[in-house]
């Protein structure tokens, strides 16, 4: 992968830089956030860490020659970024709802797990465990309304939508223009016909071949999208407690992001 080395190196430095920025921001402001009971701070720090982790996975897939796999992982990164930016633009209460929504997902998962217990040949959750989770689930529905049980029910109140979806959240943070890229990345996840005929790894193929392993093509789009998304969530994190230092850091992030795109375009 010598062809892409300069781009890979720049992306790796960028990921490390954003990770260190997140760590420093957390260490500097953790005590203040605890005093203020700032759940939004803690939530965005955790989402930023997840974004850095996914970005590292993408980099390794790219280095291994799996551009389509990297593109699929960017889809997950985009979801994390959109969620984080949406939470960052609202009050602490929304982050509390977001965190409490874990109970809803847990209850759904436990009931589904137990439903298939005979066919999976597994040890199912006990009645006591299921009842404990169910009580917490029903308490939240009583507090927030029946719409809270939907997949994005934690956002129903602020969106004034009883059954919001991810696209609604994208629109709210004005990142819905990434929808074509999101749908494109989804082709590497879902079993649709387009996904078996269109591959980033075959972008330079001169004839009809089937890709079953690594490839030296198609690295630019997933790499550039990763740098863009990671810059978005890093800047969003720094805006929680903004000062002159964070503004300078944001400028550095933007410059590094632009350099990555240029390097990959040159390699392509």
């Amino acid at each position: 992968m010598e062809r892409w080395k300069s781009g890979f190196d720049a992306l790796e430095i960028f990921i490390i830089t954003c990770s260190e920025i997140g760590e420093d921001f957390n260490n500097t402001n953790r005590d203040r956030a605890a005093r203020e009971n700032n759940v939004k701070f803690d939530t965005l720090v955790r989402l930023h860490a997840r974004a850095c982790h996914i970005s590292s996975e993408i980099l390794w897939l790219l280095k291994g020659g799996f551009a389509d796999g990297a593109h699929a992982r960017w889809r997950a990164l985009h979801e994390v970024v959109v969620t984080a930016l949406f939470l960052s633009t609202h009050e602490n209460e929304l982050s509390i709802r977001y965190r409490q929504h874990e109970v809803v997902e847990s209850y759904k998962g436990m009931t589904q797990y137990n439903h298939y217990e005979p066919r999976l040949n597994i040890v199912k959750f006990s009645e006591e465990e299921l009842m404990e989770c169910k009580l917490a689930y029903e308490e939240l529905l009583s507090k927030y309304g029946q719409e809270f049980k939907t997949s994005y029910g934690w956002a129903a109140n602020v969106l004034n939508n009883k059954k919001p979806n991810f696209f609604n959240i994208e629109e709210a943070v004005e990142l819905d223009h990434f929808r074509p890229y999101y749908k494109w990345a989804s082709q590497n996840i879902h079993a649709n016909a387009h996904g078996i005929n269109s591959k980033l790894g075959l972008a330079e193929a001169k004839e009809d071949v089937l890709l079953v392993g690594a490839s030296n093509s198609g690295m630019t789009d997933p790499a550039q999208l990763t740098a863009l998304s990671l810059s978005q969530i890093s800047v969003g994190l720094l805006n929680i407690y903004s000062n002159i230092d964070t503004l300078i850091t944001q400028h550095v992030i933007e410059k590094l992001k632009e350099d990555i795109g240029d390097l990959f375009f040159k390699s392509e």
Side-chain angles (χ1 to χ4, degrees):
M1 291 293 172
E2 187 65 29
R3 169 188 179 186
W4 305 98
K5 186 178 184 305
S6 60
F8 288 158
D9 288 347
L11 181 58
E12 183 168 14
I13 290 171
F14 185 63
I15 294 169
I16 293 171
T17 299
C18 288
S19 300
E20 291 178 348
I21 287 170
E23 180 182 14
D24 181 66
F25 186 77
N26 180 44
N27 292 337
T28 301
N29 297 289
R30 172 63 59 177
D31 289 343
R32 174 183 173 180
R35 289 193 304 271
E36 297 173 352
N37 192 28
N38 192 340
V39 177
K40 179 164 69 173
F41 170 88
D42 182 69
T43 304
L44 264 64
V45 164
R46 292 177 185 277
L47 285 169
H48 182 263
R50 187 178 180 190
C52 291
H53 185 255
I54 295 173
S55 298
S56 294
E57 292 176 342
I58 291 170
L59 176 61
W60 277 100
L61 285 166
L62 290 173
K63 285 183 174 181
F66 297 98
D68 293 281
H71 198 202
R73 286 305 287 152
W74 172 78
R75 181 182 186 271
L77 177 60
H78 177 66
E79 290 181 357
V80 170
V81 172
V82 168
T83 301
L85 295 182
F86 183 66
L87 293 172
S88 73
T89 59
H90 290 85
E91 299 299 323
N92 203 45
E93 172 64 23
L94 182 61
S95 293
I96 293 173
R97 291 188 183 214
Y98 170 77
R99 298 290 285 270
Q100 290 181 331
H101 198 263
E102 182 180 2
V103 173
V104 174
E105 299 302 327
S106 294
Y107 179 65
K108 289 180 180 179
M110 290 172 73
T111 53
Q112 187 178 67
Y113 187 88
N114 278 8
H115 175 75
Y116 290 107
E117 175 263 337
R119 292 165 62 183
L120 292 172
N121 192 27
I122 54 177
V123 178
K124 66 180 182 179
F125 291 101
S126 68
E127 289 299 322
E128 292 78 12
E129 290 173 318
L130 192 59
M131 182 56 66
E132 181 181 357
C133 190
K134 183 180 180 180
L135 289 173
Y137 168 80
E138 291 177 341
E139 183 179 342
L140 288 171
L141 296 190
S142 176
K143 181 178 181 180
Y144 296 130
Q146 290 298 308
E147 58 268 27
F148 195 70
K149 66 182 178 183
T150 64
S151 295
Y152 289 91
W154 54 269
N157 183 56
V158 297
L159 289 173
N160 194 27
N161 184 338
K162 290 185 179 296
K163 198 173 181 179
N165 55 38
F166 179 66
F167 180 62
N168 300 140
I169 296 175
E170 271 185 322
E171 286 185 309
V173 295
E174 298 183 351
L175 288 180
D176 49 304
H177 57 289
F178 280 96
R179 176 57 40 163
Y181 290 99
Y182 182 78
K183 295 289 287 184
W184 181 23
S186 298
Q187 293 168 8
N188 290 309
I189 296 174
H190 303 307
N192 55 44
H194 194 76
I196 64 174
N197 293 317
S198 178
K199 292 288 184 184
L200 285 170
L202 294 175
E204 298 167 287
K206 303 300 183 183
E207 56 188 70
D208 185 19
V209 296
L210 300 178
L211 183 64
V212 297
S215 167
N216 195 30
S217 296
M219 305 297 172
T220 300
D221 285 297
Q224 189 175 29
L225 287 168
T226 298
L228 178 58
S229 293
L230 189 54
S231 70
Q232 289 170 338
I233 194 171
S234 297
V235 169
L237 176 68
L238 295 174
N239 280 333
I240 300 175
Y241 292 129
S242 184
N243 55 44
I244 187 62
D245 291 333
T246 61
L247 291 174
I248 293 172
T249 302
Q250 288 175 21
H251 178 74
V252 172
I253 290 171
E254 291 294 332
K255 182 64 172 67
L256 290 173
K257 176 201 70 178
E258 292 172 5
D259 291 344
I260 290 168
D262 291 340
L263 287 170
F264 274 94
F265 275 120
K266 287 179 182 177
S267 298
E268 191 175 83

